[in-house]
Amino acid sequence: MTFALPLSPVHTCETAHSLASQEPVWPGLRRWGAVALLALTSGLAVPAYAQGSTTSQAATRSVNEWLTRMHEGSRQRAYIGTLVVSAGSSMSASKIWHVCDGNQQMERIDTLTGTPRTTIRRNNDVITFVPEAKTALVEKRDSLGMFPELLRTPQNLIPQFYQAREVGVQRVAGHLADMVEILPRDELRFGYRIWSEQQSGLVVKLQTLGQQGGVLEQMAFSELQLDAPVSMDKLKKLMKDTRGYEVHKPALKKTTPEAEGWRLKEAVPGFSAMSCHTRDTGSTQAPGTAPMQWVFSDGLASVSLFVEPFDPQRHVQESSAVVGATHSVSRRMGEHWLTVLGEVPEQTLRRFALALERTR
């Protein structure tokens, strides 16, 4: 999901979603792996009034104030924890080491389920080690428009499309957390139920809510040590040590949709364009034919438009799919194949698909 508890390496995903692979990758699976050890349950919230004065300050916060507090919480505390993620029928777990010195954040994530993998991030520089394949993937991942960097969006339209509702207090991984629901004001986006650690504001649990209020996807720390002794110097050394690994660097090029011959004939309310890249496939390409990724965000949710030349061997039929809160819609557009993917309702993706048009 776009909304991640730690400074996730998919923040990136935008990547919302990297063009390093031939096909778009489900963000939840890309981030944590497809298998987990145990399920999460939402539990029962303790009513706010039952906690005395612990939530009196929380009850006065606007949606912007809540999100600012969560944003700062990830920057002010070093921590070590185990994060468990559930998306649809897929579950996974990862060990996280996080540290920030005020100017830069570093984070190490080791998968505990599925294929062994270690991802280390220093601000927007990310390297992922895959020991079984002896490969390392080096990427630049701009987190613009993604939580917790949502306040860096060019225009903060979040209050126009979301509202905050305080719920209560609950313990998560041994820490008292204020609960808040960030609810959409229209049918084009999902809502979120968030647990924010009372002292720091750090997000310790998060659920993505469907249009009927059901939980589509959730992640939470099963154990969390705040103010942990995480060494930034040690993480820097690990990040640079690629001995024995074959290093891959995806060739991405910043561009504009106009330069590639595309535009949206109608904007989707609340969503702003964040970035546009093409991928060098290594073959001779005519102008405007390289695979392209165009990323949009409303500050909390992201949508990626992937456009590539139509290939009858791979692009068999138009389709839609869903994993947790992530939906995708694919369709042919003349000599091109479009895949729209994001953590939003399917109807939102179809609005993007219908609005995209070729200009040459």
Side-chain angles (χ1 to χ4, degrees), residues 152-174:
R152 293 172 52 205
T153 50
Q155 294 180 324
N156 182 12
L157 301 179
I158 293 173
Q160 294 185 30
F161 296 96
Y162 294 92
Q163 57 185 324
R165 183 173 75 90
E166 291 81 13
V167 178
V169 173
Q170 188 177 21
R171 289 182 68 212
V172 177

Side-chain angles (χ1 to χ4, degrees), residues 4-12 31-32 107 109 121 141 147-148:
L5 287 83
L7 183 60
S8 159
V10 243
H11 284 153
T12 164
R31 191 178 299 149
W32 308 114
E107 190 166 80
I109 300 179
R121 172 172 178 150
R141 295 177 174 177
F147 185 83

Side-chain angles (χ1 to χ4, degrees), residues 116-249:
R117 180 170 298 160
T118 295
T119 298
I120 303 175
R121 172 172 178 150
R122 180 182 179 184
N123 292 340
N124 291 340
D125 296 316
V126 181
I127 185 168
T128 299
F129 297 92
V130 185
E132 290 182 353
K134 290 297 180 183
T135 59
L137 178 64
V138 177
E139 299 176 273
K140 279 275 190 182
R141 295 177 174 177
D142 189 356
S143 58
L144 180 64
M146 302 299 129
F147 185 83
E149 298 292 339
L150 54 94
L151 299 181
R152 293 172 52 205
T153 50
Q155 294 180 324
N156 182 12
L157 301 179
I158 293 173
Q160 294 185 30
F161 296 96
Y162 294 92
Q163 57 185 324
R165 183 173 75 90
E166 291 81 13
V167 178
V169 173
Q170 188 177 21
R171 289 182 68 212
V172 177
H175 300 272
L176 277 178
D178 293 320
M179 296 175 61
V180 61
E181 291 182 342
I182 308 295
L183 302 174
R185 297 181 184 273
D186 60 21
E187 301 296 317
L188 296 178
R189 57 211 92 229
F190 292 134
Y192 304 93
R193 183 178 297 125
I194 308 169
W195 286 251
S196 173
E197 197 270 327
Q198 283 194 333
Q199 298 302 313
S200 65
L202 181 70
V203 177
V204 292
K205 182 175 178 179
L206 182 147
Q207 296 176 336
T208 304
L209 307 177
Q211 293 172 317
Q212 304 302 318
V215 177
L216 303 177
E217 188 172 284
Q218 58 186 343
M219 53 177 64
F221 284 105
S222 60
E223 58 90 18
L224 176 65
Q225 178 186 356
L226 293 175
D227 300 320
V230 183
S231 170
M232 185 171 286
D233 289 338
K234 183 176 180 180
L235 290 182
K236 289 178 181 178
K237 291 178 182 179
L238 289 173
M239 192 173 191
K240 295 178 180 178
D241 188 3
T242 58
R243 291 173 296 178
Y245 284 82
E246 182 179 350
V247 179
H248 299 274
K249 296 183 179 180

Side-chain angles (χ1 to χ4, degrees), residues 242-295:
T242 58
R243 291 173 296 178
Y245 284 82
E246 182 179 350
V247 179
H248 299 274
K249 296 183 179 180
L252 299 181
K253 176 185 176 182
K254 282 190 176 182
T255 185
T256 65
E258 293 77 13
E260 303 304 316
W262 298 96
R263 76 180 184 103
L264 286 187
K265 58 188 176 184
E266 182 181 12
V268 179
F271 286 89
S272 300
M274 295 289 106
S275 65
C276 186
H277 292 84
T278 56
R279 185 183 77 244
D280 183 0
T281 60
S283 59
T284 303
Q285 296 168 324
T289 62
M292 181 189 79
Q293 179 193 20
W294 192 4
V295 179

Side-chain angles (χ1 to χ4, degrees), residues 67-133:
L67 297 174
T68 299
R69 175 173 165 77
M70 296 169 193
H71 169 80
E72 292 303 318
S74 70
R75 292 181 174 273
Q76 296 175 356
R77 305 295 287 266
Y79 57 82
I80 300 174
T82 300
L83 187 69
V84 181
V85 181
S86 172
S89 61
S90 297
M91 302 184 68
S92 60
S94 298
K95 187 77 172 184
I96 298 173
W97 294 258
H98 176 98
V99 64
C100 179
D101 66 1
N103 296 318
Q104 61 182 340
Q105 296 193 66
M106 290 203 70
E107 190 166 80
R108 171 181 174 175
I109 300 179
D110 286 359
T111 60
L112 302 179
T113 53
T115 302
R117 180 170 298 160
T118 295
T119 298
I120 303 175
R121 172 172 178 150
R122 180 182 179 184
N123 292 340
N124 291 340
D125 296 316
V126 181
I127 185 168
T128 299
F129 297 92
V130 185
E132 290 182 353

Side-chain angles (χ1 to χ4, degrees), residues 276-329:
C276 186
H277 292 84
T278 56
R279 185 183 77 244
D280 183 0
T281 60
S283 59
T284 303
Q285 296 168 324
T289 62
M292 181 189 79
Q293 179 193 20
W294 192 4
V295 179
F296 292 81
S297 174
D298 69 355
L300 298 182
S302 68
V303 173
S304 282
L305 278 62
F306 297 90
V307 184
E308 59 185 325
F310 175 73
D311 181 349
Q313 299 299 317
R314 292 190 299 119
H315 305 141
V316 180
Q317 63 181 4
E318 298 185 358
S319 63
S320 61
V322 58
V323 175
T326 303
H327 290 74
S328 75
V329 172

